[in-house]
Amino acid sequence: MPGARASSVTDQPAIVLVRPQLGENIGKAARAMLNFGLTEMRLVSPRDGWPNPAAGPAASGADIVLQQARVFDSVTDAVADCAHVYATTVRKRGVTKPVVTPEEGARSIHADTGRSAILFGPERSGLETEDVAVARAIVTVPINPDFGSLNLAQAVILVAYEWSKHVALAQPPETDLPPPAPQGELDGMIDQLDTMLDAAGFFFPPDKAPTTKRTLRTLLTKPGWSSQEVRTMRGVLSALANPRQRN
Amino acid sequence: MPGARASSVTDQPAIVLVRPQLGENIGKAARAMLNFGLTEMRLVSPRDGWPNPAAGPAASGADIVLQQARVFDSVTDAVADCAHVYATTVRKRGVTKPVVTPEEGARSIHADTGRSAILFGPERSGLETEDVAVARAIVTVPINPDFGSLNLAQAVILVAYEWSKHVALAQPPETDLPPPAPQGELDGMIDQLDTMLDAAGFFFPPDKAPTTKRTLRTLLTKPGWSSQEVRTMRGVLSALANPRQRN
């Protein structure tokens, strides 16, 4: 039942930051994750240790992700319980693994049974070849070939965003859009306008009147105005027909 | 020749930052854009003026976007040449416009003829109601209902990312229906009506005038009238304002 599944922790991929350098970026990654319902962060040998005081402020309230983050000494330890490991990289030559987009990766993660993990490399250098070797597939964001400059949190947010599309939280946004008014109400408005335009000498020459009226009808049918909007327009027309005394 | 179409500037949506506060965030937005091939940035009344020395370093090399950025005094000026205006907002109740996801919005932008613009509000407060009134539709990123904390550059990158997915696939646009008139033409019509209604005493009491004007703008933005249709409506208004002598 895709699209209606609640996200438990075991459904969601672990986000594994491999040798992250700045605490600030760990915080930003946590914020990016929680925006899209991901809560499980794993840290492999964070350069400045853990916890890192710079992470909290950058997380903008996503403290729960940081508090629950677990630290590991190696990538293999970090993903030991995961059946599906993805490595995010920029496009590389000589890759001997399947390369998927974030969209395709998200689809696989939802379709597969067993836990998934997604590896993200250090800010400057990205994942090393031996980190990538642990993964079953590579996730690469298709990017402007002339300007690829995704930072860590941006890579995380795009992956988390694609993942979230398949879970219940990603509801189509609510729209309070009222339905179009019944045709009779629309006709009433059009009649009112026709009468006013007739009085104003708009339908001239008379033999062109039917075409002009049809044009107006087409134009006023196009919006799909609601009953309330039709009433507003009738108020507008009445005001123009009968200006009120001011002062 | 799908898959091989280069993205010219007129194909891509203009990214309109409305009253952005920090130069750093303008730079980050530029970086986010260029990652996905968007180059046209427009700035409406940036708080600290323009150019802003904090923007360049944050753009991480996306200088071309900043150099070409154009500054406007108002949202309506910024989108005067655009036929399709989208406003990005968090989920809101009482919205009387269509609400689409970034994915759906991107699909529309590629399908529609005529230029598109996407409005992004100031960092703290987001777009004001009158900014949203200019738009034909609202773009909302479906987000964790318990933790929605997207910053400006993140909102931009998600929208740009979705747009970029269709670049390689973009089909030649359909041309049976004339595109909606540029926003400037629509504004001219709305101004004409406002003036007439003002003279007719429609905007009473005066303190309700802004709300009433916004309602009218929303209602008249909804149809997506073509240039020809806008001209017809202006003819209608002129006829009502200046009835011709009959016989």
Side-chain angles (χ1 to χ4, degrees), chain A residues 35 149 161-162 165 229, chain B residues 35 149 161-162 165 222 229:
Chain A
N35 267 312
S149 172
Y161 164 74
E162 285 289 1
K165 283 188 185 175
E229 288 172 324
Chain B
N35 266 311
S149 172
Y161 165 74
E162 285 289 1
K165 282 189 188 173
K222 191 173 181 181
E229 288 172 324

Side-chain angles (χ1 to χ4, degrees), chain B residues 152-229:
Chain B
L152 178 58
Q154 288 171 336
V156 170
I157 206 168
L158 292 174
V159 167
Y161 165 74
E162 285 289 1
W163 177 83
S164 77
K165 282 189 188 173
H166 299 266
V167 172
L169 311 167
Q171 301 295 329
E174 311 261 335
T175 49
D176 331 321
L177 273 181
Q183 200 71 24
E185 294 179 18
L186 194 63
D187 284 339
M189 183 193 76
I190 291 171
D191 286 347
Q192 184 181 358
L193 178 62
D194 276 359
T195 305
M196 288 169 64
L197 288 174
D198 209 22
F202 184 69
F203 298 118
F204 188 87
D207 61 312
K208 289 223 174 133
T211 308
T212 308
K213 287 186 181 185
R214 205 152 53 223
T215 302
L216 281 180
R217 169 176 279 284
T218 292
L219 198 151
L220 294 168
T221 301
K222 191 173 181 181
W225 281 327
S226 67
S227 294
Q228 178 58 51
E229 288 172 324

Side-chain angles (χ1 to χ4, degrees), chain A residues 17-22 26 43-48 121-123 152:
Chain A
L17 306 188
V18 180
R19 300 181 299 280
Q21 301 176 294
L22 295 176
I26 300 172
L43 303 171
V44 176
S45 308
R47 186 189 68 186
D48 299 335
E123 291 92 326
L152 178 58

